[in-house]
Amino acid sequence: MKQAIAVCVGLLATVVTAAAEQPVAIVEEVQGKVTGAEFMDYLTPKTVIKLGADSSIVISYLKSCRREKIDGIGTVIVGTDESLVHLASIKNEKTECDTGHAHATTRETSEVAATVVRSIGKNDTALKPQLTLYGASPLVQATGRGTLLVERLDIPGERQQIDLDGKQSKGRFYDFAAVNKALSPGGIYSAKFRSSQIVFQVDAHARPGTTPIVGRLVRMD
């Protein structure tokens, strides 16, 4: 009886630990027969992905800014900063991304953003972005229905209001690049979706379009 209880407790602890794990990477592209991951999935450590013949996957890590393209039959085990690959071939590169945004909570981000927005006009030195984007066409994680409002803070006048119907990619990703939209390089913006808010800056050298996802990802929930 004691052994059975111990086993149950152990299993419960494993489930709780897995549920609490934060995503460390995102899938940018999938081609061919790939099991264990789909396009735009977030990945947690120890996720196992299997690739079939003539298949490939592109994985980008949120913290290390490492972007991997893995080709051919093989197995991929997701790590915290990079993948362990068996048999398949891998090519990797470092991309520009803001590592500070990887594990920020929505509540923390929103509270700071609200303070920054309230300070406009009172103390311009307080206009400090929480995130830097290295692509001018943001990929915004905003789940479900609601209004996504993006306003420029450093120069008044630029404002985009997007009504989301819940049919965005995976039900949560709105891609500015997919609709040929871009923000101004060097600009500081506020993005608000329901109760979530964040202040970010677009890098002065940011390019529009489908640049690497981790460099233009804005997580709103």
Side-chain angles (χ1 to χ4, degrees), residues 2-12:
K2 290 182 179 180
Q3 287 183 331
I5 293 173
V7 170
C8 290
V9 170
L11 289 173
L12 180 60

Side-chain angles (χ1 to χ4, degrees), residues 109 113-114 116-117 120 127-133 135-138 140 149-160 176 181-192 197-204 206 218 220:
T109 300
V116 171
V117 172
I120 297 174
L127 195 59
K128 295 180 180 179
Q130 301 159 271
L131 167 69
T132 298
L133 299 187
S137 299
V140 182
L149 181 63
V150 179
E151 294 184 278
R152 188 163 181 178
L153 302 180
D154 56 329
I155 300 177
E158 187 179 341
R159 184 177 187 271
Q160 297 194 44
F176 276 62
K181 290 184 178 181
L183 303 180
S184 302
I188 298 177
Y189 293 84
S190 165
K192 188 172 184 179
Q197 188 171 13
I198 189 170
V199 173
F200 63 89
Q201 180 168 21
V202 181
D203 185 76
V218 179
M220 299 292 294

Side-chain angles (χ1 to χ4, degrees), residues 77-98:
I77 300 176
V78 176
T80 54
D81 296 313
E82 62 181 285
S83 303
L84 177 64
V85 178
H86 179 60
L87 297 178
S89 63
I90 180 171
K91 295 180 181 178
N92 66 81
E93 62 178 351
K94 278 279 190 177
T95 60
E96 292 184 301
C97 77
D98 191 331

Side-chain angles (χ1 to χ4, degrees), residues 12-146:
L12 180 60
T14 301
V15 171
V16 170
T17 300
E21 280 189 311
Q22 295 293 320
V24 294
I26 190 168
V27 179
E28 287 202 31
E29 182 181 318
V30 171
Q31 292 186 356
K33 185 178 180 181
V34 176
T35 58
E38 297 180 356
F39 174 62
M40 296 304 295
D41 274 356
Y42 279 119
L43 303 175
T44 55
K46 299 181 182 179
T47 298
V48 177
I49 304 167
K50 295 184 178 181
L51 279 68
D54 301 318
S55 299
S56 67
I57 189 169
V58 176
I59 298 172
S60 286
Y61 280 83
L62 304 176
K63 189 174 179 181
S64 65
C65 303
R66 176 183 167 101
R67 188 171 188 262
E68 303 173 338
K69 183 176 182 180
I70 304 164
D71 294 280
I73 298 175
T75 302
V76 180
I77 300 176
V78 176
T80 54
D81 296 313
E82 62 181 285
S83 303
L84 177 64
V85 178
H86 179 60
L87 297 178
S89 63
I90 180 171
K91 295 180 181 178
N92 66 81
E93 62 178 351
K94 278 279 190 177
T95 60
E96 292 184 301
C97 77
D98 191 331
T99 60
H101 191 47
H103 299 309
T105 67
T106 301
R107 180 176 177 179
E108 291 170 344
T109 300
S110 298
E111 288 175 350
V112 174
T115 300
V116 171
V117 172
R118 283 196 300 267
S119 71
I120 297 174
K122 299 177 182 178
N123 182 8
D124 291 338
T125 61
L127 195 59
K128 295 180 180 179
Q130 301 159 271
L131 167 69
T132 298
L133 299 187
Y134 295 93
S137 299
L139 177 72
V140 182
Q141 178 185 323
T143 303
R145 297 171 178 267

Side-chain angles (χ1 to χ4, degrees), residues 136-138 160 174-183 208-210 216:
S137 299
Q160 297 194 44
Y174 178 79
D175 193 351
F176 276 62
V179 291
N180 296 314
K181 290 184 178 181
L183 303 180
T210 52
R216 60 190 184 96

